[in-house]
Amino acid sequence: MIELIDFSKSYSSKSGFVVKNINMTCNKGEITGLLGLNGSGKTTILKAVTGRHCATSGKVFVEGVESGENLETVRNLSGFVEEEPELPGEYTVKEFLVMSAMLHGLQKKSEWQDLTSLSLDEILSKKIRTLSKGQRQRLNFARSLIYNPPVLVLDEPATGLDPAQILNMRSFVKSLKTEHTILLSTHLMQEVEALCDKVYILNQGTIVAFGTPREISEHNDSKTLEEAFFKLVKNNQEKN
């Protein structure tokens, strides 16, 4: 479970808040979407949930553990599938997985989470720099799942994938939700509609709507989530 209570984040006293008074709950067995334009504050929230930084004010809980002074614990409770991960090109896939496991205290392969569904055996000996986009995405998921964290955070997981790879990614993410709390950040309406049980819409650092895609559409007298989204964004910008 993920819970943000009045979460606000500022990177400096001069720049103001990037996100402000965010209240959000994500439950196990659901895929929760965080939908917003680029620059709306999505990544700031993801980094707080995965223990990359602390709240300026408010609280962040991951599996009941408050972040803040427990960043290392939160990092072990959450797997972060980044949009553009920094993967060491000279490592083989196997070497990188071993290193990733050891960073989380897993000394033996028998302790690893089962990664069979990611079909990595065929590329274990390959250098990471030689991998295709789809293979790199599978490795990106693998390093985040290898220590079996209960919380999984996905940042734009469809970026750069072709249509077939996107369908495979969606199917894989759906297969994970029974045993995980999943937070998916995206600016793509089709990803929310295809994957998410509920969605928070973020604009200019604040939550402007929450519910299922259908509920948000109906509440805003819109035929589609996309139409509702742009109505909400426009109204919020006019207020500010």
Side-chain angles (χ1 to χ4, degrees):
M1 182 178 180
I2 301 167
E3 188 175 15
L4 278 67
I5 302 173
D6 293 330
F7 169 73
S8 298
K9 181 67 180 178
S10 174
Y11 292 105
S12 74
S13 58
K14 297 180 180 179
S15 62
F17 288 104
V18 179
V19 295
K20 191 171 183 180
N21 297 330
I22 301 296
N23 289 283
M24 177 185 300
T25 301
C26 309
N27 296 308
K28 180 180 177 180
E30 295 180 338
I31 300 175
T32 301
L34 185 59
L35 176 62
L37 299 173
N38 290 334
S40 61
K42 300 189 302 297
T43 300
T44 295
I45 292 174
L46 302 192
K47 287 183 175 180
V49 170
T50 55
R52 269 61 179 179
H53 59 210
C54 299
T56 303
S57 63
K59 296 182 183 297
V60 177
F61 293 92
V62 177
E63 293 294 290
V65 176
E66 185 179 350
S67 192
E69 296 182 359
N70 299 300
L71 291 180
E72 184 176 353
T73 300
V74 168
R75 283 193 289 269
N76 283 318
L77 288 169
S78 58
F80 191 14
V81 180
E82 300 178 68
E83 179 181 5
E84 296 182 0
E86 294 184 9
L87 302 175
E90 291 306 312
Y91 279 63
T92 65
V93 169
K94 183 177 180 180
E95 289 169 341
F96 181 64
L97 289 175
V98 170
M99 180 183 71
S100 299
M102 291 181 67
L103 285 173
H104 291 277
L106 306 182
Q107 302 299 322
K108 301 176 182 179
K109 190 173 181 180
S110 60
E111 299 173 313
W112 295 12
Q113 170 70 1
D114 183 6
L115 302 174
T116 304
S117 58
L118 287 167
S119 303
L120 296 173
D121 287 347
E122 64 195 56
I123 60 171
L124 285 175
S125 62
K126 287 188 174 183
K127 296 281 189 181
I128 291 175
R129 59 178 167 79
T130 69
L131 300 181
S132 68
K133 176 65 179 179
Q135 291 169 336
R136 288 171 68 88
Q137 180 70 307
R138 279 152 55 195
L139 180 57
N140 193 15
F141 269 95
R143 73 157 176 183
S144 300
L145 289 168
I146 197 167
Y147 53 100
N148 196 23
V151 169
L152 187 61
V153 176
L154 314 179
D155 188 8
E156 303 286 358
T159 298
L161 300 182
D162 64 33
Q165 291 168 340
I166 289 174
L167 289 177
N168 288 335
M169 179 275 295
R170 288 176 182 170
S171 178
F172 180 62
V173 171
K174 287 179 180 178
S175 75
L176 294 171
K177 79 173 187 176
T178 302
E179 298 299 327
H180 295 81
T181 299
I182 300 179
L183 175 60
L184 183 153
S185 170
T186 186
H187 65 280
L188 301 174
M189 310 294 161
Q190 59 267 40
E191 290 311 303
V192 170
E193 293 175 327
L195 286 170
C196 296
D197 299 289
K198 61 183 181 182
V199 58
Y200 290 85
I201 294 181
L202 186 69
N203 187 61
Q204 296 183 328
T206 61
I207 299 293
V208 296
F210 162 72
T212 67
R214 181 175 180 177
E215 287 170 347
I216 291 174
S217 298
E218 291 178 350
H219 184 72
N220 290 276
D221 296 321
S222 301
K223 295 181 179 179
T224 64
L225 178 63
E226 182 176 38
E227 183 183 344
F229 174 81
F230 285 110
K231 280 185 180 180
L232 288 161
V233 168
K234 181 181 178 182
N235 291 339
N236 185 248
Q237 290 174 340
E238 288 175 350
K239 289 178 182 178
N240 297 306

